[in-house]
Coordinates of all heavy atoms in Angstrom, one line a residue:
M26 N 99.6 115.2 105.8 CA 101.0 115.3 105.7 C 101.3 116.6 104.9 O 100.5 117.0 104.2 CB 101.6 114.1 105.0 CG 101.4 112.8 105.7 SD 102.1 112.6 107.4 CE 103.8 112.1 107.0
S27 N 102.5 117.1 105.1 CA 102.8 118.4 104.5 C 104.0 118.3 103.5 O 104.7 119.3 103.3 CB 103.1 119.4 105.6 OG 104.2 119.0 106.3
D28 N 104.2 117.2 103.0 CA 105.3 117.0 102.0 C 104.9 117.3 100.6 O 104.7 116.5 99.7 CB 105.8 115.5 102.1 CG 106.4 115.1 103.4 OD1 107.0 116.0 104.0 OD2 106.2 114.0 103.9
L29 N 104.6 118.6 100.4 CA 104.2 119.2 99.1 C 105.3 119.2 98.2 O 106.4 119.8 98.5 CB 103.6 120.5 99.3 CG 102.8 121.1 98.2 CD1 101.6 120.2 97.8 CD2 102.2 122.5 98.5
L30 N 105.2 118.6 97.0 CA 106.3 118.5 96.0 C 106.3 119.6 95.1 O 105.2 120.0 94.6 CB 106.3 117.2 95.3 CG 106.4 115.9 96.1 CD1 106.1 114.7 95.3 CD2 107.8 115.8 96.8
P31 N 107.4 120.2 94.6 CA 107.5 121.2 93.6 C 107.2 120.7 92.2 O 106.7 121.4 91.3 CB 108.8 121.8 93.8 CG 109.6 120.8 94.4 CD 108.7 119.9 95.2
A32 N 107.6 119.4 92.0 CA 107.4 118.8 90.7 C 107.1 117.3 90.9 O 107.5 116.7 91.9 CB 108.7 118.9 89.9
A33 N 106.4 116.7 90.0 CA 106.0 115.3 90.1 C 107.2 114.4 89.8 O 107.8 114.6 88.7 CB 104.8 115.0 89.2
P34 N 107.5 113.4 90.6 CA 108.4 112.4 90.2 C 107.9 111.5 89.1 O 106.7 111.4 88.9 CB 108.6 111.6 91.5 CG 107.4 111.8 92.3 CD 106.9 113.1 91.9
E35 N 108.8 110.8 88.4 CA 108.3 110.0 87.3 C 107.7 108.8 87.9 O 108.3 108.1 88.7 CB 109.4 109.5 86.4 CG 109.0 108.7 85.2 CD 110.2 108.4 84.3 OE1 111.2 109.1 84.3 OE2 110.1 107.4 83.6
A36 N 106.4 108.5 87.5 CA 105.6 107.3 88.1 C 105.7 106.2 87.1 O 105.4 106.4 85.9 CB 104.2 107.8 88.5
A37 N 105.8 105.0 87.6 CA 105.8 103.8 86.8 C 104.4 103.4 86.5 O 104.1 102.8 85.5 CB 106.6 102.6 87.5
N38 N 103.4 103.8 87.4 CA 102.0 103.4 87.3 C 101.2 104.5 88.1 O 101.7 105.0 89.0 CB 101.7 102.0 87.8 CG 100.3 101.5 87.4 OD1 99.7 102.1 86.5 ND2 99.9 100.4 87.9
T39 N 100.0 104.7 87.6 CA 99.1 105.7 88.2 C 97.8 105.0 88.5 O 97.2 104.3 87.6 CB 98.9 106.9 87.3 OG1 100.1 107.6 87.1 CG2 97.9 107.8 88.0
V40 N 97.3 105.1 89.7 CA 96.0 104.6 90.2 C 95.0 105.8 90.3 O 95.3 106.7 91.0 CB 96.1 103.9 91.5 CG1 94.7 103.5 92.1 CG2 97.0 102.7 91.4
D41 N 93.9 105.8 89.6 CA 93.0 106.9 89.6 C 91.8 106.5 90.6 O 90.9 105.7 90.3 CB 92.4 107.1 88.2 CG 91.5 108.4 88.2 OD1 91.2 108.9 89.3 OD2 91.2 108.9 87.1
A42 N 91.9 106.9 91.8 CA 90.9 106.6 92.9 C 90.0 107.8 93.1 O 89.4 107.8 94.2 CB 91.6 106.2 94.1
R43 N 90.0 108.8 92.2 CA 89.1 109.9 92.4 C 87.6 109.4 92.4 O 87.2 108.5 91.6 CB 89.3 110.9 91.2 CG 90.7 111.6 91.3 CD 90.9 112.5 90.2 NE 91.1 111.7 89.0 CZ 91.5 112.2 87.8 NH1 91.6 113.6 87.7 NH2 91.7 111.5 86.7
G44 N 86.9 109.9 93.3 CA 85.5 109.5 93.4 C 85.3 108.4 94.4 O 84.2 108.0 94.7
S45 N 86.4 107.8 94.8 CA 86.3 106.7 95.8 C 86.6 107.2 97.2 O 87.5 108.0 97.5 CB 87.4 105.7 95.5 OG 87.4 104.6 96.4
A46 N 85.7 106.9 98.2 CA 85.8 107.4 99.5 C 86.7 106.4 100.4 O 86.8 105.2 100.0 CB 84.4 107.5 100.2
C47 N 87.1 106.8 101.4 CA 88.0 106.1 102.4 C 87.2 104.8 102.7 O 86.0 104.8 103.0 CB 88.3 106.9 103.6 SG 89.4 106.1 104.8
P48 N 87.8 103.6 102.7 CA 89.2 103.3 102.5 C 89.6 103.0 101.0 O 90.6 102.4 100.7 CB 89.4 102.2 103.4 CG 88.2 101.3 103.2 CD 87.1 102.4 103.1
G49 N 88.7 103.3 100.0 CA 88.9 103.0 98.7 C 90.3 103.3 98.1 O 90.9 102.5 97.5
P50 N 90.8 104.6 98.2 CA 92.0 104.9 97.7 C 93.2 104.1 98.2 O 94.1 103.7 97.5 CB 92.2 106.4 98.0 CG 90.8 106.9 98.0 CD 90.0 105.8 98.7
L51 N 93.1 103.8 99.5 CA 94.2 103.0 100.1 C 94.2 101.6 99.6 O 95.2 101.0 99.3 CB 94.0 103.0 101.7 CG 95.0 102.2 102.5 CD1 96.4 102.6 102.2 CD2 94.6 102.2 103.9
L52 N 93.0 101.0 99.5 CA 92.9 99.6 99.0 C 93.4 99.6 97.5 O 94.0 98.6 97.2 CB 91.4 99.2 99.0 CG 90.8 99.0 100.5 CD1 89.3 98.7 100.4 CD2 91.6 98.0 101.3
E53 N 93.1 100.6 96.8 CA 93.6 100.6 95.4 C 95.1 100.7 95.3 O 95.8 100.1 94.5 CB 93.0 101.8 94.6 CG 91.5 101.7 94.3 CD 91.2 100.6 93.4 OE1 91.9 100.3 92.4 OE2 90.2 99.9 93.7
A54 N 95.7 101.5 96.2 CA 97.1 101.7 96.3 C 97.8 100.3 96.7 O 98.8 100.0 96.2 CB 97.5 102.8 97.3
K55 N 97.2 99.6 97.7 CA 97.7 98.4 98.1 C 97.7 97.4 97.0 O 98.7 96.6 96.9 CB 96.8 97.8 99.3 CG 97.0 98.5 100.6 CD 96.2 97.8 101.6 CE 96.4 98.4 103.0 NZ 95.5 97.8 104.1
K56 N 96.7 97.3 96.1 CA 96.7 96.4 95.0 C 97.7 96.8 94.0 O 98.4 96.0 93.4 CB 95.3 96.4 94.4 CG 94.3 95.6 95.2 CD 93.0 95.3 94.3 CE 92.2 96.6 94.1 NZ 91.0 96.5 93.5
A57 N 97.8 98.1 93.7 CA 98.6 98.6 92.6 C 100.1 98.6 92.9 O 100.9 98.6 91.9 CB 98.1 100.0 92.2
I58 N 100.5 98.7 94.1 CA 101.9 98.7 94.4 C 102.7 97.5 93.8 O 103.8 97.6 93.5 CB 102.2 98.9 95.9 CG1 103.6 99.4 96.2 CG2 101.9 97.6 96.7 CD1 103.8 100.8 95.8
A59 N 101.9 96.4 93.7 CA 102.6 95.2 93.2 C 102.8 95.3 91.7 O 103.5 94.5 91.1 CB 101.7 94.0 93.4
T60 N 102.3 96.3 91.0 CA 102.4 96.5 89.5 C 103.7 97.3 89.2 O 104.0 97.4 88.1 CB 101.2 97.2 88.9 OG1 101.2 98.6 89.4 CG2 99.9 96.4 89.2
V61 N 104.4 97.8 90.2 CA 105.6 98.6 89.9 C 106.8 97.8 90.6 O 106.6 97.1 91.6 CB 105.5 100.0 90.5 CG1 104.4 100.8 89.9 CG2 105.4 100.1 92.0
K62 N 107.9 98.0 90.0 CA 109.1 97.3 90.4 C 109.7 98.0 91.7 O 109.3 99.2 92.0 CB 110.2 97.4 89.4 CG 109.9 96.7 88.1 CD 111.1 96.9 87.1 CE 110.7 96.4 85.7 NZ 111.6 96.8 84.7
M63 N 110.4 97.3 92.5 CA 111.0 97.9 93.6 C 111.9 99.1 93.2 O 112.6 99.0 92.3 CB 111.9 96.8 94.4 CG 111.1 95.9 95.2 SD 112.1 94.8 96.3 CE 113.7 95.1 96.1
G64 N 111.7 100.1 94.0 CA 112.4 101.4 93.7 C 111.6 102.3 92.8 O 112.0 103.5 92.7
D65 N 110.6 101.8 92.1 CA 109.8 102.6 91.2 C 108.6 103.4 92.0 O 108.4 103.0 93.1 CB 109.2 101.9 90.1 CG 110.2 101.5 89.0 OD1 111.3 102.1 89.0 OD2 109.8 100.8 88.1
V66 N 108.1 104.3 91.4 CA 107.1 105.2 92.1 C 105.7 104.8 91.6 O 105.4 104.7 90.4 CB 107.4 106.6 91.9 CG1 106.3 107.5 92.4 CG2 108.7 107.0 92.5
L67 N 104.7 104.8 92.5 CA 103.3 104.6 92.2 C 102.7 106.0 92.5 O 102.9 106.6 93.6 CB 102.7 103.5 93.1 CG 101.1 103.4 93.0 CD1 100.7 102.9 91.6 CD2 100.6 102.5 94.1
E68 N 101.8 106.4 91.6 CA 101.1 107.7 91.8 C 99.7 107.3 92.1 O 99.1 106.5 91.4 CB 101.2 108.6 90.6 CG 100.4 109.8 90.7 CD 100.4 110.7 89.4 OE1 100.8 110.2 88.3 OE2 100.0 111.8 89.5
I69 N 99.1 107.9 93.2 CA 97.7 107.7 93.5 C 97.0 109.1 93.3 O 97.3 110.1 93.9 CB 97.5 107.2 94.9 CG1 98.3 105.9 95.1 CG2 96.1 107.0 95.3 CD1 99.5 106.0 95.9
L70 N 95.9 109.0 92.6 CA 95.1 110.2 92.4 C 93.8 110.1 93.3 O 93.1 109.1 93.2 CB 94.6 110.4 90.9 CG 95.7 110.4 89.8 CD1 95.0 110.5 88.5 CD2 96.7 111.4 90.1
S71 N 93.6 111.1 94.1 CA 92.5 110.9 95.1 C 91.9 112.3 95.4 O 92.6 113.3 95.6 CB 92.9 110.2 96.4 OG 91.9 110.2 97.3
N72 N 90.6 112.3 95.5 CA 89.9 113.6 96.0 C 89.4 113.3 97.4 O 88.6 114.2 97.9 CB 88.9 114.1 95.1 CG 87.8 113.1 94.7 OD1 87.9 111.9 95.1 ND2 86.8 113.5 93.9
D73 N 89.7 112.3 98.1 CA 89.3 112.0 99.4 C 90.3 112.6 100.4 O 91.5 112.3 100.3 CB 89.2 110.5 99.7 CG 88.8 110.2 101.1 OD1 87.6 110.4 101.5 OD2 89.7 109.8 102.0
P74 N 90.0 113.6 101.3 CA 91.0 114.3 102.0 C 91.8 113.4 103.0 O 92.9 113.7 103.3 CB 90.1 115.3 102.8 CG 88.7 114.9 102.7 CD 88.6 114.1 101.5
G75 N 91.3 112.3 103.4 CA 92.0 111.4 104.3 C 93.1 110.7 103.7 O 94.0 110.1 104.4
T76 N 93.1 110.6 102.4 CA 94.1 109.8 101.7 C 95.5 110.3 101.9 O 96.4 109.6 102.0 CB 93.8 109.8 100.2 OG1 92.5 109.3 100.0 CG2 94.8 108.8 99.5
K77 N 95.7 111.7 102.0 CA 97.0 112.2 102.3 C 97.6 111.8 103.6 O 98.8 111.9 103.8 CB 97.0 113.8 102.2 CG 96.9 114.3 100.8 CD 97.1 115.8 100.8 CE 96.0 116.5 101.6 NZ 95.9 117.9 101.3
D78 N 96.8 111.4 104.5 CA 97.2 110.8 105.8 C 97.4 109.3 105.8 O 98.3 108.8 106.3 CB 96.3 111.3 107.0 CG 96.3 112.8 107.3 OD1 97.4 113.4 107.1 OD2 95.3 113.3 107.5
D79 N 96.4 108.7 105.1 CA 96.4 107.2 105.2 C 97.6 106.6 104.4 O 98.1 105.7 104.8 CB 95.1 106.7 104.5 CG 93.8 107.1 105.3 OD1 94.0 107.5 106.5 OD2 92.7 107.0 104.8
I80 N 97.9 107.2 103.2 CA 98.9 106.6 102.3 C 100.3 106.6 103.0 O 101.0 105.6 103.1 CB 98.9 107.2 101.0 CG1 97.6 107.0 100.2 CG2 100.1 106.8 100.1 CD1 97.3 105.6 99.8
P81 N 100.7 107.8 103.6 CA 102.0 107.8 104.2 C 102.1 106.8 105.4 O 103.2 106.1 105.6 CB 102.2 109.2 104.7 CG 101.3 110.0 103.8 CD 100.1 109.1 103.5
K82 N 101.0 106.7 106.2 CA 101.1 105.8 107.3 C 101.2 104.4 106.8 O 101.9 103.6 107.4 CB 99.8 105.9 108.1 CG 99.7 107.2 108.9 CD 98.4 107.4 109.6 CE 98.3 108.8 110.2 NZ 96.9 109.0 110.8
W83 N 100.4 103.9 105.8 CA 100.4 102.6 105.2 C 101.8 102.3 104.7 O 102.4 101.3 104.9 CB 99.4 102.5 104.2 CG 99.6 101.3 103.2 CD1 99.5 100.0 103.5 CD2 100.1 101.4 101.9 NE1 99.8 99.3 102.4 CE2 100.2 100.1 101.4 CE3 100.4 102.5 101.1 CZ2 100.6 99.8 100.1 CZ3 100.8 102.2 99.8 CH2 100.9 100.9 99.3
A84 N 102.4 103.3 103.9 CA 103.7 103.1 103.3 C 104.8 102.8 104.3 O 105.5 101.9 104.2 CB 104.1 104.3 102.4
G85 N 104.8 103.6 105.4 CA 105.7 103.4 106.5 C 105.6 102.1 107.2 O 106.6 101.5 107.5
K86 N 104.4 101.6 107.3 CA 104.2 100.3 108.0 C 104.7 99.1 107.2 O 105.1 98.2 107.8 CB 102.7 100.2 108.3 CG 102.2 100.8 109.5 CD 100.7 100.4 109.7 CE 100.1 101.0 110.9 NZ 98.7 100.6 111.0
V87 N 104.5 99.2 105.9 CA 104.8 98.0 105.1 C 106.1 98.1 104.4 O 106.4 97.2 103.6 CB 103.6 97.7 104.2 CG1 102.4 97.4 105.0 CG2 103.4 98.8 103.2
G88 N 106.9 99.1 104.6 CA 108.3 99.2 104.0 C 108.4 99.9 102.7 O 109.4 99.8 102.0
H89 N 107.4 100.7 102.4 CA 107.5 101.6 101.2 C 107.9 102.9 101.7 O 107.9 103.3 102.8 CB 106.2 101.6 100.3 CG 105.7 100.2 100.0 ND1 106.5 99.3 99.3 CD2 104.6 99.6 100.2 CE1 105.8 98.2 99.1 NE2 104.6 98.4 99.6
K90 N 108.2 103.9 100.7 CA 108.5 105.2 101.1 C 107.5 106.3 100.5 O 107.4 106.3 99.3 CB 109.9 105.6 100.6 CG 110.4 107.0 101.0 CD 111.8 107.3 100.5 CE 112.3 108.6 100.9 NZ 111.5 109.8 100.9
Y91 N 106.9 107.0 101.4 CA 106.1 108.1 100.9 C 106.9 109.2 100.4 O 107.8 109.7 101.1 CB 105.2 108.6 102.1 CG 104.5 109.9 101.8 CD1 103.4 109.9 100.9 CD2 104.8 111.0 102.5 CE1 102.7 111.1 100.7 CE2 104.2 112.2 102.3 CZ 103.1 112.3 101.4 OH 102.5 113.4 101.1
V92 N 106.8 109.6 99.2 CA 107.6 110.5 98.5 C 107.1 112.0 98.7 O 107.8 112.9 99.0 CB 107.7 110.3 97.0 CG1 108.6 111.3 96.3 CG2 108.3 108.9 96.8
G93 N 105.8 112.1 98.7 CA 105.1 113.4 98.9 C 103.9 113.5 98.0 O 103.4 112.5 97.4
H94 N 103.3 114.7 98.0 CA 102.1 114.9 97.2 C 102.1 116.2 96.5 O 102.9 117.1 96.8 CB 100.8 114.7 98.1 CG 100.6 115.9 99.0 ND1 101.2 116.1 100.2 CD2 99.8 117.0 98.8 CE1 100.8 117.2 100.7 NE2 99.9 117.7 99.9
M95 N 101.2 116.3 95.5 CA 101.0 117.6 94.8 C 99.5 117.8 94.8 O 98.7 116.9 94.8 CB 101.5 117.5 93.4 CG 103.0 117.3 93.3 SD 103.5 117.2 91.5 CE 103.3 118.9 91.1
I96 N 99.1 119.1 94.8 CA 97.7 119.5 94.6 C 97.3 119.7 93.2 O 98.0 120.5 92.6 CB 97.4 120.7 95.5 CG1 97.7 120.3 97.0 CG2 95.9 121.1 95.4 CD1 97.7 121.5 98.0
A97 N 96.3 119.1 92.7 CA 95.9 119.3 91.3 C 94.6 120.0 91.4 O 94.1 120.5 92.4 CB 95.8 117.9 90.6
D98 N 93.9 120.0 90.3 CA 92.6 120.7 90.2 C 91.5 119.8 90.8 O 90.8 119.1 90.1 CB 92.3 121.0 88.7 CG 91.1 121.9 88.5 OD1 90.7 122.6 89.5 OD2 90.5 121.9 87.4
G99 N 91.2 120.0 92.1 CA 90.2 119.3 92.8 C 90.6 117.9 93.3 O 89.7 117.2 93.8
Y100 N 91.8 117.5 93.2 CA 92.3 116.2 93.8 C 93.8 116.3 94.1 O 94.4 117.3 93.8 CB 92.0 115.1 92.8 CG 92.8 115.3 91.5 CD1 94.0 114.6 91.3 CD2 92.3 116.0 90.4 CE1 94.7 114.7 90.1 CE2 92.9 116.1 89.2 CZ 94.1 115.4 89.0 OH 94.8 115.5 87.8
D101 N 94.3 115.3 94.8 CA 95.6 115.2 95.2 C 96.3 114.2 94.4 O 95.8 113.2 94.0 CB 95.8 114.9 96.7 CG 95.2 115.9 97.6 OD1 95.7 117.1 97.4 OD2 94.4 115.7 98.4
R102 N 97.6 114.4 94.1 CA 98.5 113.4 93.5 C 99.5 113.0 94.6 O 100.3 113.8 95.0 CB 99.2 114.0 92.3 CG 98.3 114.5 91.2 CD 99.1 115.2 90.1 NE 99.9 114.3 89.4 CZ 101.0 114.7 88.6 NH1 101.2 116.0 88.4 NH2 101.7 113.8 88.0
I103 N 99.5 111.7 94.9 CA 100.2 111.2 96.0 C 101.2 110.2 95.5 O 100.8 109.4 94.7 CB 99.3 110.6 97.1 CG1 98.3 111.6 97.6 CG2 100.1 110.0 98.3 CD1 97.1 111.1 98.2
F104 N 102.5 110.2 95.9 CA 103.5 109.4 95.3 C 104.2 108.5 96.4 O 104.5 109.0 97.5 CB 104.6 110.3 94.7 CG 104.0 111.2 93.6 CD1 103.6 112.4 93.9 CD2 103.9 110.7 92.3 CE1 103.0 113.3 92.9 CE2 103.5 111.5 91.3 CZ 103.0 112.8 91.6
V105 N 104.3 107.3 96.1 CA 104.9 106.3 97.0 C 105.9 105.5 96.2 O 105.7 105.0 95.1 CB 103.8 105.3 97.5 CG1 104.5 104.2 98.3 CG2 102.8 106.0 98.3
R106 N 107.1 105.3 96.7 CA 108.2 104.5 96.1 C 108.1 103.1 96.8 O 108.1 103.0 98.0 CB 109.6 105.1 96.4 CG 110.7 104.4 95.7 CD 112.0 105.1 95.8 NE 112.0 106.6 95.4 CZ 111.9 107.0 94.1 NH1 112.0 106.2 93.1 NH2 111.9 108.3 93.9
R107 N 108.1 102.1 95.9 CA 108.0 100.7 96.4 C 109.3 100.3 97.0 O 110.4 100.5 96.4 CB 107.6 99.8 95.2 CG 107.5 98.3 95.7 CD 107.0 97.4 94.7 NE 107.0 96.1 95.3 CZ 106.7 95.0 94.5 NH1 106.5 95.1 93.2 NH2 106.7 93.8 95.1
G108 N 109.2 99.8 98.2 CA 110.4 99.4 99.0 C 110.6 97.9 99.1 O 111.7 97.5 99.4
K109 N 109.6 97.1 98.8 CA 109.8 95.7 98.9 C 108.9 95.0 98.0 O 108.0 95.5 97.4 CB 109.5 95.2 100.4 CG 108.2 95.5 100.9 CD 108.0 94.9 102.2 CE 106.5 95.0 102.6 NZ 106.1 94.0 103.5

């Protein structure tokens, strides 16, 4: 996905899935989304290149909103707003 953010939104929780290969980051995000309130943002840290595609697809399927991502030093910061 190409939704590169200029600044990070405020995240209610962060999941550090760096070092985890697919589907690990997605599974971590699925578990962690329940830890944030509806309308709040979950941040997923991942260095697996497929995560930038997997997270937006998952979010759209289950009623959450993919906010975008940022590139950090060797990993991506991916943001999802809880929708349900």
Side-chain angles (χ1 to χ4, degrees):
M26 298 300 273
S27 61
D28 297 324
L29 195 58
L30 298 172
E35 184 178 336
N38 194 8
T39 300
V40 172
D41 190 348
R43 292 176 288 186
S45 180
C47 184
L51 178 60
L52 296 175
E53 291 295 321
K55 285 180 176 181
K56 286 192 291 187
I58 198 73
T60 68
V61 300
K62 296 177 188 170
M63 281 191 358
D65 283 352
V66 173
L67 174 68
E68 176 181 17
I69 302 104
L70 309 179
S71 175
N72 55 356
D73 180 73
T76 305
K77 284 190 300 194
D78 292 325
D79 295 343
I80 297 291
K82 289 176 187 174
W83 160 74
K86 276 184 177 179
V87 298
H89 305 307
K90 182 181 185 316
Y91 168 69
V92 177
H94 74 277
M95 298 181 71
I96 299 169
D98 188 22
Y100 62 96
D101 295 304
R102 298 174 66 194
I103 302 160
F104 301 91
V105 174
R106 185 173 308 280
R107 182 173 177 188
K109 60 175 191 157

